[in-house]
Amino acid sequence: MTDRIQPPPAQRARAALSGIYLKFLSRNGGLVALVVLLLINVAITPNFLQMQTLFVNISQVATIAIVAVGMTLVIATAGIDLSVGAVMAVAGALAPLIFLSDFAQANPTLGLTAAIVVPILVALLCGLFNGVLVAYLGVQPIIATLIFFISGRGIAQVLTNGNLQTFTHPGFSYLGTGKILGLPFQGWLVVAIALVAWLMVNRTMYGRRILAVGGNEKAARLTGTPVRRVKIGVYVISAGLSGLAGLIVVAINSASDAARIGVLMELDAIAAAVVGGTLLMGGKAPIFGAILGAVIIQLVKYTLLANGVADEVALIAKAGIIVLAVYVQQGRKE
């Protein structure tokens, strides 16, 4: 039996360095991509370092990040939620209807409360609908959420008769235009949501159950994990966060357009989650990674648009980012 011929030392050294390099990229690819995007924008994008540009990007990325947190939890159970944009549209349609009602006009404080609470409660019910289809009826997540993806926006347009709903209310507008310590309120809200979600995933029994269900559902059942309740919970959380994101969009614009709110948000949220390191087969929920992914998705879009590239090209770029992120994930498993 002959010994295997060993490659020359120089070749082994190059192979070792290549392995270290690829391992570093697989673990820190998001940060590397963010740094590269920032450097590119500093070099070629006019006025990128101005505070106004920062505020614009925080406002735009906040809704993606909020929805991406919920999407990350769903994907962590080996599911998917295609209904997030439609849920945003439904919540966004309800808010002005409540504000413009006689009840809200006669009771401004209660009207403000109702315009925030009721749409989010309805969003939670939408998530419950998705969760029941998945957990109790055994419908595949992509089909279950596709149902509301199709019907939800139609519901929103029926609620508004297809009309643009405009209104102004200082208290409600604070969701979209308020500032704390000079930074947009939405940015602080993203930080708070991400922190709560991270603590839930890493410090609570429910969080461990989410990862267990996504990692090995059969094993989770054998250990007594209430798989159905866990699945319903993540879809409810995802929908609730989507409803909140819809309210933020309405607050920024002081108007609700059911045909436009949340359009393609499912693409952005999935892309942010995957770029942030969420495994599509489940079992992992990197919450802050999803926030990083959302920032990258927004910066890609901003970089292209600020330099005169058509929005259609930005969509292609997002798709390319997803493909690249999935490829990197495959490399991590090898």
Side-chain angles (χ1 to χ4, degrees), residues 129-143:
F129 172 77
N130 290 334
V132 168
L133 288 180
V134 172
Y136 281 92
L137 299 184
V139 181
Q140 289 293 324
I142 193 170
I143 301 300

Side-chain angles (χ1 to χ4, degrees), residues 91-107:
L94 286 171
L97 291 179
I98 295 172
F99 267 120
L100 298 174
S101 67
D102 294 337
F103 168 79
Q105 298 299 317
N107 305 275

Side-chain angles (χ1 to χ4, degrees), residues 295-316:
V295 173
I296 291 173
I297 295 300
Q298 170 58 26
L299 274 180
V300 168
K301 181 179 179 180
Y302 177 83
T303 303
L304 294 175
L305 295 182
N307 289 279
V309 180
D311 191 39
E312 291 79 6
V313 177
L315 294 176
I316 297 173

Side-chain angles (χ1 to χ4, degrees), residues 20 50 80 104 133 212 233 257 334:
I20 294 172
Q50 292 186 359
I80 200 75
L133 288 180
D257 185 352
E334 294 176 355

Side-chain angles (χ1 to χ4, degrees), residues 218-244:
K218 290 183 178 179
R221 289 184 187 276
L222 291 175
T223 59
T225 300
V227 173
R228 288 177 174 174
R229 293 206 299 270
V230 170
K231 287 186 175 183
I232 289 176
V234 295
Y235 285 99
V236 169
I237 293 171
S238 177
L241 292 176
S242 298
L244 176 60

